[in-house]
Amino acid sequence: MSDPADVAPVAPWIAAQTRTLIRQRGHAWLLQGPAGLGHYPLALSLASAWLCEAPTADGACGHCPSCHSIAVRTHADLRVLMPETHLLELGWPLGEKAQQEIDDKARKPSREIRVDAVCEAVEFCQRTNARNRGKVVLVFPAEDMNRITANALLKTLEEPPGDTRFILASQAAHRLLPTVRSRCMVHTLAWPDAQASATWLSAHGLPASQAAGLLRASGGRPALALQMAQAGQDAAVWARFPRAMAAGDALFVKDWSAAQLVDALQKLCHDLCAMAVGAPPRYFDPADLPAAAPLAELRGLGSWDRELRHTRQVVDHPWNAGLMTEALVGAAKMAMRAAGLGPPQRAPAARLA
Ligand SMILES: [Zn+2]
């Protein structure tokens, strides 16, 4: 299965970063930055440009046999190291043995980058390239390598065979081994501006009203906003979320997963803390939030934030979903009330007007 997004033109901010990167030398790049800025599209765009048989100043041509092989996930000179769950999601083939084990139901697809896949990639680096454009190893998310897999790759990263280049893309570069980080040139992913993001979302079929709200909900990350829209999230529901939490309305979020709820509460808590210190909110429209809490209440909001961080770490445990939702919403109501926060400024009816 190929992802049509790979053959379609990449977003303009990814294209601009590709142009910058292909002009530079370096056998190993670390693409770093917070999630949702397009690590994977940029890594693939750079790998495609390096391997393309007729590259332009903008990157890969998109038409040559090499570009085609990448689009259909069969390029002999490209190794993609990702957790198996990601590989399957993005249509990349697993190794023969791994696929067999999963087909035989001997195990489930791994959520880590497996050591045998890394060993295979190390061996791939020693081989002669097939298309005369060198070879590329793409690792994403690089922080999903554990100490053993990272060490397995390190030696090759230190002294790569002449024609192999590496792209490590990481959403949490601080979790990488310092020895791995120090072998790479670093590129920090750029934040797209609001206008470019809105244009891109509109080109992907999002009405302007949804685009603006979901872009806010995603903290200004268009790929994430699109993903939220595709998962059925709605900008109007997002706008009403702070009011529902202030009222302790657990029914409002009864269909949300615990992870989705914790994420939304962390964003709400972030914005309430920001407003308490006089900064603008990031994820919600100020009119959908209560008036700023007094600065003296920041400590209480801080403890709520710590609680939410802790919950986020254990959110995948098989808790009773209904009880967990009630507990989270109850804690939100209490934290907001303790901070002296009343209902949001804009009445719900005003949203419909
Ligand atoms: Zn090409």
Side-chain angles (χ1 to χ4, degrees):
M1 183 189 84
S2 75
D3 183 347
D6 292 351
V7 282
V10 295
W13 55 91
I14 297 294
Q17 293 174 83
T18 307
R19 280 194 293 276
T20 306
L21 288 169
I22 55 177
R23 284 203 299 267
Q24 303 189 47
R25 299 175 73 85
H27 79 275
W29 277 99
L30 169 61
L31 312 179
Q32 65 171 18
L37 292 184
H39 295 69
Y40 172 69
L42 179 57
L44 196 61
S45 169
L46 181 58
S48 305
W50 282 344
L51 293 170
C52 176
E53 289 162 29
T56 69
D58 290 332
C61 73
H63 308 292
C64 71
S66 171
C67 288
H68 177 72
S69 302
I70 291 178
V72 298
R73 311 291 197 247
T74 55
H75 204 298
D77 294 330
L78 174 63
R79 275 298 170 279
V80 177
L81 289 177
M82 288 198 270
E84 290 174 344
T85 45
H86 284 40
L87 287 170
L88 293 170
E89 219 172 274
L90 294 165
W92 291 98
L94 305 184
E96 213 171 295
K97 183 163 167 277
Q99 187 64 57
Q100 192 63 51
E101 288 167 357
I102 291 164
D103 288 348
D104 292 346
K105 300 204 167 23
R107 63 175 179 85
K108 287 187 175 169
S110 169
R111 287 167 176 269
E112 282 199 334
I113 294 175
R114 282 170 60 90
V115 70
D116 47 3
V118 174
C119 292
E120 198 281 330
V122 169
E123 194 254 330
F124 158 83
C125 295
Q126 311 300 328
R127 279 183 233 153
T128 312
N129 70 69
R131 289 183 175 273
N132 221 19
R133 296 285 306 164
K135 291 173 293 183
V136 177
V137 177
L138 188 166
V139 191
F140 173 68
E143 66 273 18
D144 279 7
M145 288 190 289
N146 60 32
R147 188 167 283 273
I148 298 170
T149 45
N151 275 317
L153 192 65
L154 190 59
K155 186 78 190 133
T156 312
L157 204 52
E158 277 172 339
E159 293 165 27
D163 66 346
T164 307
R165 290 191 270 193
F166 291 84
I167 306 170
L168 277 63
S170 175
Q171 300 169 160
H174 60 278
R175 282 172 45 201
L176 296 175
L177 288 180
T179 38
V180 167
R181 274 206 309 266
S182 68
R183 295 292 177 269
C184 300
M185 288 174 67
V186 175
H187 170 76
T188 301
L189 275 99
W191 286 87
D193 69 50
Q195 187 53 51
S197 304
T199 309
W200 184 78
L201 286 170
S202 151
H204 281 77
L206 238 65
S209 58
Q210 287 294 317
L214 291 179
L215 200 54
R216 201 170 248 291
S218 69
R221 302 165 206 198
L224 195 56
L226 184 61
Q227 220 177 322
M228 292 168 100
Q230 286 163 345
Q233 294 198 43
D234 183 277
V237 171
W238 183 255
R240 292 201 302 272
F241 178 74
R243 172 173 291 274
M245 293 305 99
D249 182 0
L251 281 179
F252 186 84
V253 290
K254 69 177 168 43
D255 298 325
W256 294 27
S257 71
Q260 186 187 352
L261 177 57
V262 171
D263 180 64
L265 288 171
Q266 283 189 300
K267 288 174 174 172
L268 175 58
C269 184
H270 168 278
D271 277 7
L272 297 175
C273 290
M275 286 172 78
V277 296
R282 179 168 181 195
Y283 301 103
F284 293 92
D285 188 315
D288 294 321
L289 290 165
L295 191 57
E297 303 302 336
L298 198 58
R299 187 187 290 256
L301 291 173
S303 349
W304 181 34
D305 180 54
R306 276 193 298 283
E307 257 175 58
L308 287 169
R309 279 174 208 238
H310 171 72
T311 311
R312 190 182 186 112
Q313 285 170 359
V314 296
V315 80
D316 288 333
H317 285 236
W319 310 110
N320 176 313
L323 288 180
M324 181 148 185
T325 300
E326 277 184 28
L328 284 165
V329 174
K333 180 184 172 184
M334 272 173 57
M336 289 172 77
R337 187 170 289 179
L341 294 168
Q345 299 160 49
R346 175 153 54 187
R351 296 239 15 123
L352 306 172

